[in-house]
Amino acid sequence: MMTFMFSSCISVAPESIAGEKERGTIATLLVTPMKRSSLALGKIISLSCIALISGVSSFIGTMLSLPNMMGAAGGVDTSFYTFGDYAMLLGIILSTVVLLVSFISIISAFAKSIKEATSTCSPMTILTMVVSLVPMMGSEGLKSMGMLFIPVLNSVLCMNNIFAFQADVSRVLLTIGVNIVYAGLMTFGLTRIFNSEKAMFSK
């Protein structure tokens, strides 16, 4: 699921920022009478909306297939998954998508072309897959609250707990809050990049 979400984000963010730099249309946006913070926030929101469609699709697909997957895996009675479990899963997915879009947008802002932005983000796909396998280690250290402050890993741990009927509402809410805070900080960082003529018009 994390790989699908990252792939959906990487498919839209580089085109919107690095693509405009490559075509030269970013200059038109930067000279318009608007705050750079508004431009950065607009980019993040619009890209997040597009990526969220994929995130919601992943959520719906998981929700519909979960009974069959869990039932076939070990005879688990999936009737124990409640509306709250699905709501927490949706919240994790949506906040993670916004976080990933913000991260990829910053990389795209430094890139000179779509190809450069995509190639720079590609290794992160492998890292995302590796992080997704961390819960299989079963380490007691993964239950620490400090783990929830590590981006992506916090979402993986919470989703794993939800699937294992061990969801903790406070941990889920903390993870969603942490993701939103990180996304806000990266949006601020994107604003600073937009304010840098050197970064936006480098050849």
Side-chain angles (χ1 to χ4, degrees):
M1 185 183 299
M2 288 299 302
T3 303
F4 287 147
M5 287 191 290
F6 191 85
S7 298
S8 66
C9 294
I10 201 175
S11 66
V12 295
E15 170 66 30
S16 178
I17 299 178
E20 291 207 39
K21 288 181 65 177
E22 186 176 5
R23 293 187 296 270
T25 54
I26 193 70
T28 304
L29 288 175
L30 294 175
V31 298
T32 54
M34 74 167 75
K35 294 181 179 179
R36 300 291 170 88
S37 58
S38 299
L39 176 59
L41 189 59
K43 286 286 186 183
I44 296 296
I45 292 176
S46 60
L47 292 172
S48 294
C49 287
I50 297 173
L52 284 176
I53 295 175
S54 177
V56 172
S57 298
S58 298
F59 166 73
I60 294 175
T62 301
M63 184 175 67
L64 295 177
S65 63
L66 198 56
N68 292 330
M69 288 192 305
M70 296 300 291
V76 178
D77 185 0
T78 53
S79 62
F80 288 108
Y81 285 111
T82 65
F83 174 79
D85 292 324
Y86 288 119
M88 288 187 288
L89 181 61
L90 179 60
I92 291 293
I93 290 175
L94 298 185
S95 65
T96 303
V97 167
V98 174
L99 173 67
L100 293 175
V101 164
S102 303
F103 173 72
I104 297 174
S105 295
I106 285 189
I107 294 179
S108 300
F110 281 111
K112 299 179 179 65
S113 64
I114 298 175
K115 182 178 180 180
E116 181 181 340
T118 304
S119 60
T120 302
C121 292
S122 293
M124 300 304 299
T125 304
I126 300 175
L127 181 60
T128 301
M129 294 175 63
V130 172
V131 171
S132 298
L133 298 176
V134 168
M136 296 177 62
M137 297 170 56
S139 173
E140 288 296 322
L142 295 176
K143 298 180 181 180
S144 169
M145 293 295 287
M147 295 291 103
L148 301 182
F149 291 90
I150 302 177
V152 179
L153 178 60
N154 56 2
S155 298
V156 171
L157 293 175
C158 282
M159 286 192 290
N160 184 69
N161 288 338
I162 292 172
F163 295 147
F165 303 103
Q166 299 173 355
D168 185 332
V169 176
S170 61
R171 292 174 68 90
V172 171
L173 292 178
L174 177 59
T175 295
I176 293 174
V178 167
N179 287 344
I180 292 175
V181 168
Y182 279 133
L185 291 174
M186 284 187 277
T187 301
F188 176 75
L190 187 61
T191 300
R192 299 295 297 269
I193 296 172
F194 281 162
N195 282 323
S196 172
E197 304 294 329
K198 182 178 180 180
M200 297 310 299
F201 299 105
S202 60
K203 299 294 183 179

